[in-house]
């Protein structure tokens, strides 16, 4: 999916500017690094594209009003994720794309749907999205395989001459994959992605996602119920309370350090923190920071996900382990006051 994002953003930006449409790109402050680092590359010299980074609301959602203010006659590309990988909030991509096309139909619209595919319905053609990014490992395909969806209308606008078609490539070489991505195709991984996609269709047409949502909510409820009530006002859930992915729980334990929690639970629970460590410096997650989460809560954030093979027993055990450690840390902290 990282290659897909680079291909879409870099090639689209250069071709749009070559056509004389402009040099302005719009994205958000909370995109995956694959998007953010690519647009930063385009923003720097010698490319010098102009980039606007939309700020989300407190739930991590990009509002159509924010996009409307950012669109200009020189805008050539909009890239907004369908759902956020840290907090799970789902963006109103259908309306964001429609607003973009209404302003100028020549603006290309890309959405990173890596977190959403297989969990919630996504309709690229119905929503008139030009490009979609898919990550295989997010839907239980092998790691290292992904896909790029290109709207047929966009492809029809591309030249028929094969030599010119290669000018839409990120890489250059032979003419595999309709001439857009050279290199020997990894057949085994492609088959794995296809099979995983088939299984996702079954999951979306059944009540499987309702089960995932139930387990996610149960995890939160069990964590809270096993922590003494006097600490409840220091706990918050990040992201939109309803419009979010069914599997993701981003929970902040105010005034605690998530590193202190994870080093005590890692033998039993695998989870990530709301902070990134670079050269020994622990910093607040840029996603939480953009949503206005204070450092006192952000540094105590855990991101926990449930999946296809998670059981109710797993959830109950994990909740008790997390709650026990959090309760112990709060007790020690407040006993010193």
């Amino acid at each position: 999916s990282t290659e897909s994002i680079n291909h879409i953003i870099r090639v689209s930006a250069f071709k749009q500017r070559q056509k004389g449409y402009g040099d302005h790109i719009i994205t958000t402050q909370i995109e995956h690094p694959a998007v953010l680092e690519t647009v930063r590359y385009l923003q720097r010299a010698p490319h010098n594209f102009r980039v606007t980074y939309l700020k989300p609301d407190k739930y991590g959602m990009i509002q159509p009003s924010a996009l409307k203010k950012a669109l200009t006659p020189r805008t050539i590309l909009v890239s907004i994720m369908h759902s956020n990988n840290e907090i799970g909030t789902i963006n109103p991509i259908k309306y964001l794309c429609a607003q973009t096309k209404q302003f100028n139909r020549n603006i290309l619209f890309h959405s990173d749907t890596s977190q959403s595919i297989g969990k919630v319905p996504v309709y690229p053609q119905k929503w008139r999205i030009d490009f979609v990014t898919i990550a295989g490992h997010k839907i239980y395909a092998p790691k290292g395989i992904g896909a790029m969806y290109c709207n047929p209308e966009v492809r029809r606008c591309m030249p028929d001459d094969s030599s010119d078609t290669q000018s839409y490539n990120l890489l250059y070489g032979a003419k595999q994959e309709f001439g857009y991505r050279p290199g020997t195709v990894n057949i085994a991984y492609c088959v794995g992605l296809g099979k995983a996609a088939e299984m996702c269709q079954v999951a979306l047409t059944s009540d499987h996602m309702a089960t995932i949502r139930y387990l996610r909510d149960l995890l939160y409820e069990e964590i809270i119920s096993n922590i003494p009530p006097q600490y409840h006002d220091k706990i918050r859930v990040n992201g939109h309370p309803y419009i979010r992915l069914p599997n993701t729980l981003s929970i902040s334990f105010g005034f605690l350090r998530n590193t202190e929690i994870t080093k005590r639970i890692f033998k039993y629970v695998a989870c990530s923190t709301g902070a990134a460590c670079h050269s020994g410096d622990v910093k607040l997650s840029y996603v939480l920071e953009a949503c206005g989460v204070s450092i006192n809560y952000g540094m105590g954030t855990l991101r926990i996900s449930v999946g296809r093979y998670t059981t109710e027993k797993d959830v109950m055990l994990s909740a008790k382990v997390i709650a026990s450690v959090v309760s112990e840390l709060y007790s020690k902290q407040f006993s010193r006051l």
Side-chain angles (χ1 to χ4, degrees):
S1 57
T2 295
E3 182 187 332
S4 166
I5 288 167
N6 272 263
H7 192 141
I8 292 164
I9 294 177
R10 290 168 63 176
V11 174
S12 296
F14 288 128
K15 297 305 290 187
Q16 289 283 82
R17 183 161 69 179
Q18 188 182 78
K19 292 176 181 178
Y21 290 157
D23 60 356
H24 179 227
I25 300 169
I26 298 174
T27 188
T28 81
Q29 297 177 6
I30 59 172
E31 296 294 312
H32 188 277
V35 170
L36 291 175
E37 291 304 317
T38 302
V39 296
R40 286 168 186 157
Y41 161 77
L42 294 172
Q43 195 173 8
R44 294 190 296 266
H47 308 303
N48 298 315
F49 283 87
R50 295 185 301 121
V51 181
T52 297
Y53 299 89
L54 301 178
K55 182 176 177 59
D57 63 18
K58 66 180 181 179
Y59 299 121
M61 185 177 290
I62 303 300
Q63 294 296 334
S65 57
L67 175 60
K68 185 177 181 179
K69 291 178 182 177
L71 290 167
T72 76
R74 295 194 61 80
T75 302
I76 55 173
L77 174 66
V78 175
S79 180
I80 300 176
M81 60 182 10
H82 185 264
S83 59
N84 185 264
N85 50 298
E86 284 194 34
I87 58 177
T89 297
I90 299 173
N91 281 312
I93 291 296
K94 174 183 177 181
Y95 301 103
L96 294 170
C97 186
Q99 187 173 65
T100 300
K101 296 298 183 180
Q102 185 176 17
F103 182 85
N104 182 350
R105 63 185 180 87
N106 289 322
I107 299 174
L108 296 176
F109 195 99
H110 164 248
S111 185
D112 178 5
T113 64
S114 300
Q115 296 293 329
S116 302
I117 296 293
K119 302 179 185 76
V120 293
V122 177
Y123 304 104
Q125 283 189 295
K126 185 177 179 180
W127 297 344
R128 297 176 62 199
I129 303 175
D130 296 306
F131 303 104
V132 160
T133 298
I134 300 167
H137 68 279
K138 298 295 183 182
I139 58 172
Y140 300 92
K143 291 183 179 181
I145 185 71
M148 176 184 78
Y149 165 84
C150 179
N151 190 321
E153 292 183 10
V154 174
R155 288 187 60 186
R156 278 196 291 271
C157 293
M158 293 181 179
D160 293 330
D161 180 67
S162 60
S163 61
D164 200 13
T165 300
Q166 288 205 350
S167 68
Y168 287 85
N169 287 3
L170 179 65
L171 305 172
Y172 293 90
K175 299 178 182 179
Q176 290 94 338
E177 301 194 42
F178 304 102
Y180 295 108
R181 184 186 183 273
T184 302
V185 178
N186 188 337
I187 300 297
Y189 276 31
C190 291
V191 171
L193 178 59
K195 185 62 179 178
E198 288 179 6
M199 295 176 71
C200 283
Q201 285 186 309
V202 174
L204 288 172
T205 54
S206 66
D207 60 353
H208 183 66
M209 285 303 119
T211 302
I212 294 292
R213 184 178 293 104
Y214 160 75
L215 291 174
R216 189 270 315 275
D217 293 343
L218 178 65
L219 177 63
Y220 170 73
E221 291 164 4
E222 287 298 311
I223 290 173
I224 294 296
S225 65
N226 283 282
I227 294 175
Q230 62 265 35
Y231 306 130
H232 287 183
D233 63 344
K234 297 171 182 62
I235 303 171
R236 60 170 289 177
V237 173
N238 303 302
H240 199 282
Y242 309 112
I243 309 173
R244 57 178 169 144
L245 297 174
N247 68 313
T248 305
L249 174 64
S250 174
I251 184 169
S252 295
F253 301 100
F255 307 95
L256 296 183
R257 281 288 183 125
N258 45 32
T259 51
E260 291 298 313
I261 301 172
T262 53
K263 75 180 183 182
R264 287 170 167 82
I265 68 172
F266 78 94
K267 290 184 179 180
Y268 311 98
V269 183
C271 63
S272 61
T273 63
C277 182
H278 301 284
S279 303
D281 294 328
V282 180
K283 298 180 180 179
L284 177 65
S285 154
Y286 67 89
V287 173
L288 297 179
E289 186 176 14
C291 296
V293 177
S294 71
I295 194 167
N296 288 332
Y297 280 86
M299 299 305 291
T301 300
L302 299 180
R303 184 189 68 170
I304 315 166
S305 297
V306 298
R308 183 179 296 169
Y309 305 108
T310 304
T311 65
E312 193 168 311
K313 183 179 178 181
D314 295 331
V315 167
M316 300 295 282
L317 175 62
S318 299
K320 288 180 180 178
V321 170
I322 294 169
S324 175
V325 169
V326 169
S327 299
E328 179 187 353
L329 291 173
Y330 272 135
S331 179
K332 288 181 178 178
Q333 184 183 81
F334 289 97
S335 66
R336 294 194 296 265
L337 299 179

